[in-house]
């Protein structure tokens, strides 16, 4: 069986740094581990990507977005991505939101953060 296709990942560094400042140390470690893997592999395997709901039960609208779990096996945190142009490849994905997938309490989920950035940019 051939290896799955790999998609280059570009990070919106300002957004990700902002998100990391509001997360526990474990989230930072998990994302850094993923980033090392992405650098080593040249991207993220397509098998680790899922479509976001176009319109979810929590009223978030992420119609053209993809997500990956961080770390994949635990899926505690999520990274939300959009398709963008890439200078050497047909396309890449831009990671523009990182956070807890389904928090308890009043903390915004990564999907709520992504919805706000996508639909109500500052």
């Amino acid at each position: 069986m051939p290896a799955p296709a790999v998609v280059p990942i570009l990070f919106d560094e300002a957004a990700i740094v902002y998100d990391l400042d509001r997360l526990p140390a474990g989230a930072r470690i998990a994302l850094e581990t993923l980033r090392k893997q992405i650098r080593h592999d040249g991207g993220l395997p397509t098998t680790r990507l899922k479509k976001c709901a176009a319109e979810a039960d929590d009223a978030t609208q992420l119609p053209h977005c993809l997500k990956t779990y961080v770390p994949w096996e635990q899926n505690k945190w999520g990274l939300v991505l959009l398709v963008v142009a890439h200078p050497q490849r047909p396309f890449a994905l831009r990671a523009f939101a990182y956070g807890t997938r389904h928090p308890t309490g009043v903390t915004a989920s990564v999907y709520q953060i992504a919805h706000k950035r996508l639909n109500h940019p500052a």
Side-chain angles (χ1 to χ4, degrees), residues 43-116:
L44 194 62
T46 55
T47 55
R48 296 220 13 214
L49 296 167
K50 294 182 173 236
K51 284 177 56 174
C52 290
E55 189 165 335
D57 292 340
D58 64 357
T60 56
Q61 296 176 358
L62 300 169
H64 303 289
C65 295
L66 297 168
K67 63 185 173 182
T68 193
Y69 304 144
V70 184
W72 185 254
E73 305 78 27
Q74 296 174 9
N75 67 48
K76 181 174 183 174
W77 297 292
L79 194 62
V80 179
L81 311 107
L82 272 173
V83 175
V84 294
H86 188 277
Q88 291 88 29
R89 303 276 300 271
F91 67 93
L93 296 174
R94 179 175 58 88
F96 71 99
Y98 180 60
T100 306
R101 292 187 55 240
H102 301 289
T104 57
V106 297
T107 302
S109 74
V110 67
Y111 309 114
Q112 291 167 326
I113 293 166
H115 170 87
K116 183 175 179 183

Coordinates of all heavy atoms in Angstrom, one line a residue, residues 43-116:
G43 N 5.2 17.8 5.5 CA 3.8 18.2 5.6 C 3.0 17.2 6.5 O 3.6 16.4 7.2
L44 N 1.7 17.2 6.3 CA 0.8 16.4 7.1 C 0.2 15.4 6.2 O -0.4 15.8 5.1 CB -0.2 17.3 7.8 CG -1.0 16.7 8.9 CD1 -0.2 16.3 10.1 CD2 -2.1 17.7 9.4
P45 N 0.1 14.1 6.6 CA -0.5 13.1 5.7 C -2.0 13.4 5.6 O -2.7 13.8 6.6 CB -0.3 11.8 6.5 CG 0.8 12.0 7.4 CD 0.8 13.5 7.7
T46 N -2.6 13.2 4.4 CA -4.0 13.5 4.2 C -4.9 12.6 5.1 O -6.0 13.0 5.4 CB -4.4 13.3 2.8 OG1 -4.0 11.9 2.4 CG2 -3.7 14.3 1.9
T47 N -4.4 11.5 5.6 CA -5.1 10.6 6.5 C -5.3 11.2 7.8 O -6.2 10.8 8.6 CB -4.4 9.2 6.6 OG1 -3.1 9.5 7.1 CG2 -4.4 8.5 5.3
R48 N -4.6 12.3 8.1 CA -4.8 13.0 9.4 C -5.6 14.2 9.3 O -5.6 15.1 10.2 CB -3.4 13.3 10.0 CG -2.6 12.0 10.3 CD -1.8 12.0 11.6 NE -2.0 13.0 12.6 CZ -1.0 13.4 13.3 NH1 0.2 13.0 13.2 NH2 -1.3 14.3 14.2
L49 N -6.3 14.4 8.2 CA -7.1 15.6 8.0 C -8.6 15.2 8.0 O -8.9 14.1 7.4 CB -6.7 16.3 6.7 CG -5.3 16.9 6.6 CD1 -5.0 17.2 5.2 CD2 -5.2 18.0 7.6
K50 N -9.4 16.0 8.6 CA -10.9 15.8 8.5 C -11.5 17.1 8.2 O -11.0 18.2 8.5 CB -11.4 15.3 9.9 CG -10.9 14.0 10.3 CD -11.5 13.7 11.7 CE -11.1 12.2 12.0 NZ -12.3 11.4 12.3
K51 N -12.7 17.0 7.5 CA -13.4 18.2 7.2 C -14.1 18.7 8.4 O -14.6 18.0 9.2 CB -14.5 17.9 6.1 CG -14.0 17.7 4.7 CD -15.1 17.3 3.8 CE -16.3 18.3 3.8 NZ -17.3 18.0 2.8
C52 N -14.1 20.1 8.6 CA -14.9 20.7 9.6 C -16.3 20.7 9.2 O -16.6 20.8 8.0 CB -14.4 22.1 9.9 SG -12.8 22.2 10.7
A53 N -17.2 20.8 10.1 CA -18.6 20.9 9.8 C -18.9 22.3 9.1 O -18.4 23.3 9.7 CB -19.5 20.7 11.0
A54 N -19.6 22.3 8.0 CA -19.9 23.6 7.4 C -20.7 24.4 8.4 O -20.4 25.6 8.5 CB -20.7 23.3 6.1
E55 N -21.6 23.9 9.1 CA -22.3 24.6 10.1 C -22.6 23.5 11.3 O -23.3 22.6 11.1 CB -23.7 25.1 9.6 CG -24.3 26.0 10.7 CD -25.4 26.9 10.1 OE1 -25.4 27.1 8.9 OE2 -26.3 27.3 10.8
A56 N -22.0 23.8 12.4 CA -22.1 22.9 13.5 C -23.2 23.2 14.5 O -23.8 24.3 14.4 CB -20.7 22.9 14.3
D57 N -23.4 22.3 15.4 CA -24.5 22.5 16.4 C -24.3 23.8 17.3 O -25.2 24.4 17.8 CB -24.6 21.3 17.3 CG -25.1 20.1 16.6 OD1 -25.7 20.3 15.5 OD2 -24.9 19.0 17.1
D58 N -23.0 24.2 17.4 CA -22.7 25.4 18.3 C -22.7 26.7 17.4 O -22.3 27.7 17.9 CB -21.3 25.2 19.0 CG -20.2 25.1 18.0 OD1 -20.4 25.1 16.7 OD2 -19.0 25.0 18.4
A59 N -23.3 26.6 16.2 CA -23.5 27.7 15.3 C -22.2 28.2 14.7 O -22.1 29.2 14.0 CB -24.1 28.9 16.0
T60 N -21.1 27.4 14.8 CA -19.9 27.8 14.1 C -20.0 27.4 12.6 O -20.6 26.4 12.3 CB -18.6 27.1 14.7 OG1 -18.8 25.7 14.7 CG2 -18.3 27.6 16.1
Q61 N -19.4 28.2 11.8 CA -19.5 28.0 10.3 C -18.1 27.9 9.8 O -17.4 29.0 9.7 CB -20.3 29.1 9.7 CG -21.7 29.1 10.1 CD -22.5 30.3 9.5 OE1 -22.0 31.1 8.8 NE2 -23.8 30.3 9.8
L62 N -17.6 26.7 9.4 CA -16.3 26.5 8.9 C -16.4 25.7 7.6 O -15.8 24.6 7.5 CB -15.4 25.8 9.9 CG -15.3 26.6 11.3 CD1 -14.6 25.7 12.3 CD2 -14.5 27.8 11.1
P63 N -17.1 26.2 6.6 CA -17.4 25.4 5.4 C -16.3 24.9 4.6 O -16.4 23.9 4.0 CB -18.3 26.4 4.6 CG -17.9 27.7 5.0 CD -17.6 27.6 6.5
H64 N -15.2 25.6 4.5 CA -14.1 25.2 3.7 C -12.8 24.9 4.5 O -11.7 25.0 4.0 CB -13.8 26.3 2.6 CG -14.9 26.7 1.8 ND1 -15.4 25.8 0.8 CD2 -15.8 27.7 1.8 CE1 -16.5 26.4 0.3 NE2 -16.7 27.5 0.9
C65 N -13.0 24.5 5.7 CA -11.9 24.3 6.6 C -11.7 22.8 6.9 O -12.6 22.0 6.7 CB -12.2 25.0 8.0 SG -12.2 26.8 7.9
L66 N -10.5 22.5 7.2 CA -10.1 21.1 7.6 C -9.6 21.2 9.0 O -9.3 22.3 9.5 CB -9.0 20.6 6.7 CG -9.4 20.4 5.2 CD1 -8.2 20.2 4.4 CD2 -10.4 19.3 5.1
K67 N -9.5 20.1 9.7 CA -9.0 20.0 11.1 C -8.1 18.8 11.2 O -8.2 17.8 10.4 CB -10.1 20.0 12.1 CG -11.0 18.7 12.0 CD -12.1 18.8 12.9 CE -13.1 17.6 12.7 NZ -14.2 17.7 13.6
T68 N -7.2 18.9 12.2 CA -6.4 17.7 12.6 C -6.4 17.8 14.1 O -6.5 18.8 14.7 CB -5.0 17.7 12.0 OG1 -4.4 16.4 12.2 CG2 -4.1 18.8 12.5
Y69 N -6.2 16.6 14.7 CA -6.2 16.5 16.2 C -4.7 16.5 16.6 O -3.9 15.9 16.0 CB -6.9 15.2 16.6 CG -8.3 15.1 16.2 CD1 -8.8 13.8 15.8 CD2 -9.1 16.2 16.0 CE1 -10.1 13.7 15.4 CE2 -10.5 16.0 15.6 CZ -10.9 14.8 15.3 OH -12.2 14.7 14.8
V70 N -4.5 17.1 17.8 CA -3.2 17.2 18.3 C -3.2 16.8 19.8 O -3.9 17.4 20.6 CB -2.7 18.7 18.2 CG1 -1.2 18.8 18.7 CG2 -2.8 19.2 16.8
P71 N -2.5 15.7 20.2 CA -1.9 14.7 19.3 C -3.1 13.8 18.7 O -4.1 13.8 19.3 CB -1.0 13.8 20.2 CG -1.5 14.1 21.6 CD -2.2 15.4 21.6
W72 N -2.8 13.2 17.6 CA -3.8 12.5 16.8 C -4.5 11.5 17.7 O -5.7 11.3 17.6 CB -3.2 11.9 15.6 CG -4.2 11.2 14.7 CD1 -4.4 9.9 14.6 CD2 -5.2 11.8 13.9 NE1 -5.4 9.6 13.7 CE2 -5.9 10.8 13.2 CE3 -5.5 13.2 13.6 CZ2 -6.9 11.1 12.3 CZ3 -6.5 13.4 12.7 CH2 -7.2 12.4 12.1
E73 N -3.8 10.7 18.4 CA -4.3 9.6 19.2 C -5.2 10.1 20.4 O -6.1 9.4 20.8 CB -3.2 8.8 19.8 CG -2.2 8.2 18.8 CD -1.2 9.3 18.4 OE1 -0.9 10.2 19.2 OE2 -0.7 9.2 17.2
Q74 N -5.0 11.2 20.9 CA -5.8 11.7 22.0 C -6.8 12.7 21.6 O -7.8 12.9 22.4 CB -4.8 12.4 23.1 CG -3.8 11.4 23.7 CD -2.9 12.1 24.5 OE1 -3.0 13.3 24.8 NE2 -1.8 11.4 25.0
N75 N -6.7 13.4 20.6 CA -7.5 14.4 20.0 C -8.1 15.4 21.0 O -9.2 15.9 20.9 CB -8.6 13.8 19.1 CG -9.6 13.0 19.8 OD1 -10.2 13.4 20.9 ND2 -9.9 11.8 19.3
K76 N -7.3 15.8 22.0 CA -7.7 16.8 23.0 C -7.7 18.2 22.4 O -8.6 19.0 22.7 CB -6.7 16.7 24.2 CG -7.1 17.7 25.3 CD -6.2 17.5 26.5 CE -6.7 18.5 27.6 NZ -6.0 18.3 28.8
W77 N -6.7 18.5 21.6 CA -6.6 19.8 21.0 C -6.8 19.7 19.5 O -6.6 18.6 18.9 CB -5.2 20.4 21.3 CG -5.0 20.7 22.8 CD1 -5.7 21.6 23.5 CD2 -4.1 20.0 23.6 NE1 -5.2 21.5 24.8 CE2 -4.3 20.5 24.9 CE3 -3.2 19.0 23.5 CZ2 -3.6 20.1 26.0 CZ3 -2.5 18.5 24.6 CH2 -2.7 19.1 25.8
G78 N -7.1 20.8 18.9 CA -7.3 20.7 17.4 C -6.6 21.9 16.8 O -6.4 23.0 17.4
L79 N -6.3 21.7 15.5 CA -5.7 22.7 14.7 C -6.7 22.8 13.5 O -7.0 21.9 12.8 CB -4.3 22.2 14.2 CG -3.4 23.2 13.6 CD1 -3.0 24.3 14.5 CD2 -2.1 22.4 13.2
V80 N -7.1 24.1 13.2 CA -8.0 24.3 12.1 C -7.2 25.0 10.9 O -6.4 25.9 11.2 CB -9.2 25.2 12.5 CG1 -10.1 25.5 11.3 CG2 -10.0 24.5 13.6
L81 N -7.5 24.5 9.7 CA -6.7 24.8 8.5 C -7.5 25.2 7.3 O -8.7 24.7 7.2 CB -5.8 23.7 8.1 CG -5.0 23.0 9.3 CD1 -5.6 21.7 9.6 CD2 -3.6 22.9 8.9
L82 N -7.0 26.1 6.5 CA -7.6 26.5 5.2 C -6.7 26.2 4.1 O -5.4 26.3 4.2 CB -7.8 28.0 5.2 CG -9.1 28.5 5.8 CD1 -9.0 30.1 5.9 CD2 -10.3 28.1 5.0
V83 N -7.2 25.9 2.9 CA -6.4 25.7 1.7 C -5.9 27.1 1.2 O -6.6 28.1 1.2 CB -7.2 25.1 0.6 CG1 -6.4 25.0 -0.7 CG2 -7.7 23.7 1.0
V84 N -4.6 27.2 0.9 CA -3.9 28.4 0.4 C -3.0 28.0 -0.7 O -2.6 26.9 -0.9 CB -3.2 29.1 1.5 CG1 -4.1 29.6 2.6 CG2 -2.1 28.2 2.1
A85 N -2.5 29.0 -1.4 CA -1.5 28.8 -2.5 C -0.2 28.5 -1.9 O 0.1 28.9 -0.7 CB -1.4 30.1 -3.4
H86 N 0.6 27.8 -2.6 CA 2.0 27.4 -2.2 C 2.9 27.7 -3.4 O 2.6 27.4 -4.5 CB 2.1 26.0 -1.8 CG 3.3 25.6 -1.1 ND1 4.5 25.2 -1.9 CD2 3.7 25.4 0.2 CE1 5.4 24.9 -1.0 NE2 5.0 25.1 0.2
P87 N 4.1 28.3 -3.1 CA 5.0 28.7 -4.2 C 5.5 27.5 -5.0 O 5.8 27.6 -6.2 CB 6.1 29.4 -3.6 CG 6.1 29.1 -2.1 CD 4.6 28.7 -1.8
Q88 N 5.7 26.3 -4.4 CA 6.3 25.2 -5.2 C 5.3 24.0 -5.4 O 5.7 23.1 -6.1 CB 7.6 24.7 -4.5 CG 8.8 25.6 -4.5 CD 8.8 26.6 -3.4 OE1 8.3 26.3 -2.3 NE2 9.3 27.7 -3.6
R89 N 4.2 24.0 -4.7 CA 3.3 22.9 -4.7 C 1.9 23.4 -5.2 O 1.7 24.6 -5.2 CB 3.1 22.3 -3.3 CG 4.4 21.8 -2.7 CD 4.9 20.4 -3.1 NE 4.0 19.4 -2.7 CZ 4.0 18.7 -1.6 NH1 4.8 19.0 -0.6 NH2 3.1 17.7 -1.4
P90 N 1.0 22.5 -5.6 CA -0.3 22.9 -6.1 C -1.0 23.7 -5.0 O -1.8 24.7 -5.3 CB -1.0 21.6 -6.4 CG 0.1 20.6 -6.7 CD 1.2 21.0 -5.8
F91 N -0.9 23.3 -3.8 CA -1.5 24.1 -2.7 C -0.9 23.7 -1.3 O -0.1 22.7 -1.3 CB -3.0 23.8 -2.6 CG -3.4 22.3 -2.3 CD1 -3.6 22.0 -1.0 CD2 -3.4 21.4 -3.3 CE1 -3.9 20.6 -0.6 CE2 -3.7 20.0 -3.0 CZ -3.9 19.7 -1.6
A92 N -1.3 24.4 -0.3 CA -0.9 24.0 1.1 C -2.1 24.3 2.0 O -3.1 24.8 1.5 CB 0.3 24.9 1.5
L93 N -1.9 24.0 3.2 CA -2.9 24.3 4.2 C -2.3 25.3 5.2 O -1.1 25.2 5.6 CB -3.3 23.1 5.0 CG -4.1 22.0 4.1 CD1 -4.3 20.8 4.9 CD2 -5.3 22.6 3.6
R94 N -3.1 26.3 5.6 CA -2.6 27.3 6.6 C -3.3 27.1 7.9 O -4.6 27.1 7.9 CB -2.9 28.8 6.1 CG -2.5 29.8 7.1 CD -2.7 31.2 6.6 NE -4.0 31.5 6.2 CZ -5.0 32.0 7.0 NH1 -4.7 32.3 8.2 NH2 -6.2 32.3 6.5
A95 N -2.6 26.8 8.9 CA -3.1 26.6 10.2 C -3.3 28.0 10.9 O -2.4 28.7 11.0 CB -2.1 25.8 11.1
F96 N -4.6 28.3 11.2 CA -4.9 29.6 11.7 C -5.6 29.6 13.0 O -6.0 30.7 13.5 CB -5.7 30.4 10.6 CG -7.1 29.9 10.4 CD1 -8.2 30.6 11.1 CD2 -7.4 28.8 9.7 CE1 -9.5 30.1 10.9 CE2 -8.7 28.4 9.5 CZ -9.8 29.0 10.1
A97 N -5.9 28.5 13.6 CA -6.5 28.4 15.0 C -6.0 27.1 15.7 O -6.0 26.1 15.0 CB -8.0 28.5 14.9
Y98 N -5.7 27.2 16.9 CA -5.3 26.1 17.7 C -5.9 26.2 19.1 O -5.9 27.3 19.7 CB -3.8 26.0 17.8 CG -3.2 24.9 18.6 CD1 -3.5 23.5 18.3 CD2 -2.5 25.1 19.8 CE1 -3.0 22.5 19.0 CE2 -2.0 24.0 20.5 CZ -2.2 22.7 20.1 OH -1.7 21.7 20.8
G99 N -6.4 25.1 19.6 CA -7.0 25.1 20.9 C -7.7 23.9 21.3 O -7.6 22.8 20.6
T100 N -8.4 23.9 22.4 CA -9.1 22.8 23.0 C -10.3 22.5 22.1 O -11.1 23.4 21.7 CB -9.6 23.0 24.4 OG1 -8.4 23.4 25.2 CG2 -10.2 21.8 25.0
R101 N -10.5 21.2 21.7 CA -11.6 20.9 20.8 C -13.0 21.1 21.5 O -13.9 21.7 20.9 CB -11.5 19.5 20.3 CG -10.2 19.3 19.4 CD -10.1 17.9 18.8 NE -11.4 17.6 18.1 CZ -12.2 16.6 18.4 NH1 -11.9 15.7 19.3 NH2 -13.2 16.4 17.6
H102 N -13.2 20.6 22.6 CA -14.5 20.6 23.3 C -14.3 20.9 24.8 O -14.5 20.0 25.6 CB -15.3 19.3 23.1 CG -15.5 19.0 21.6 ND1 -16.4 19.7 20.8 CD2 -15.0 18.1 20.8 CE1 -16.4 19.2 19.6 NE2 -15.5 18.2 19.6
P103 N -14.0 22.2 25.1 CA -13.7 22.5 26.5 C -15.0 22.6 27.3 O -16.1 22.7 26.8 CB -13.1 23.9 26.4 CG -13.7 24.5 25.1 CD -13.9 23.3 24.2
T104 N -14.8 22.4 28.6 CA -16.0 22.6 29.5 C -15.9 24.0 30.0 O -14.9 24.7 30.0 CB -15.9 21.6 30.7 OG1 -14.7 21.8 31.3 CG2 -16.0 20.2 30.2
G105 N -17.0 24.6 30.5 CA -17.1 25.9 31.0 C -17.2 27.0 30.0 O -17.8 26.8 28.9
V106 N -16.5 28.1 30.2 CA -16.7 29.3 29.3 C -15.6 29.4 28.3 O -15.6 30.4 27.5 CB -16.9 30.6 30.1 CG1 -18.1 30.5 31.0 CG2 -15.6 30.8 31.0
T107 N -14.6 28.5 28.3 CA -13.5 28.6 27.4 C -14.0 28.4 26.0 O -14.8 27.5 25.7 CB -12.4 27.6 27.7 OG1 -12.0 27.8 29.1 CG2 -11.2 27.7 26.8
A108 N -13.5 29.2 25.0 CA -13.9 29.0 23.6 C -13.2 27.8 23.0 O -12.0 27.5 23.3 CB -13.6 30.2 22.8
S109 N -13.9 27.1 22.2 CA -13.3 25.9 21.5 C -12.5 26.4 20.4 O -12.6 27.5 19.9 CB -14.4 25.0 21.0 OG -15.0 25.5 19.9
V110 N -11.6 25.5 19.9 CA -10.8 25.9 18.7 C -11.7 26.2 17.5 O -11.4 27.1 16.7 CB -9.8 24.8 18.3 CG1 -10.5 23.5 17.9 CG2 -8.8 25.3 17.3
Y111 N -12.9 25.6 17.4 CA -13.8 25.8 16.3 C -14.5 27.2 16.5 O -14.7 27.9 15.5 CB -14.9 24.7 16.3 CG -14.2 23.4 16.3 CD1 -14.4 22.5 17.3 CD2 -13.4 23.0 15.2 CE1 -13.8 21.3 17.3 CE2 -12.8 21.8 15.2 CZ -13.0 20.9 16.3 OH -12.3 19.7 16.3
Q112 N -14.8 27.6 17.7 CA -15.3 29.0 17.9 C -14.2 30.1 17.6 O -14.6 31.1 17.0 CB -15.8 29.1 19.4 CG -17.0 28.3 19.6 CD -17.3 28.1 21.1 OE1 -16.4 28.1 22.0 NE2 -18.6 28.1 21.4
I113 N -13.0 29.8 18.0 CA -11.9 30.7 17.7 C -11.8 30.8 16.1 O -11.7 31.9 15.6 CB -10.6 30.2 18.3 CG1 -10.7 30.3 19.8 CG2 -9.4 31.0 17.8 CD1 -9.6 29.6 20.6
A114 N -11.7 29.7 15.4 CA -11.6 29.7 14.0 C -12.8 30.4 13.3 O -12.6 31.2 12.4 CB -11.5 28.2 13.5
H115 N -14.0 30.1 13.8 CA -15.2 30.8 13.2 C -15.0 32.3 13.3 O -15.3 33.0 12.4 CB -16.4 30.3 14.0 CG -17.6 31.1 13.7 ND1 -18.5 30.8 12.6 CD2 -18.2 32.2 14.2 CE1 -19.5 31.6 12.5 NE2 -19.3 32.5 13.5
K116 N -14.6 32.8 14.5 CA -14.5 34.2 14.7 C -13.4 34.8 13.7 O -13.7 35.8 13.1 CB -14.1 34.5 16.1 CG -14.1 36.0 16.4 CD -13.8 36.3 17.9 CE -13.7 37.8 18.1 NZ -13.4 38.1 19.5

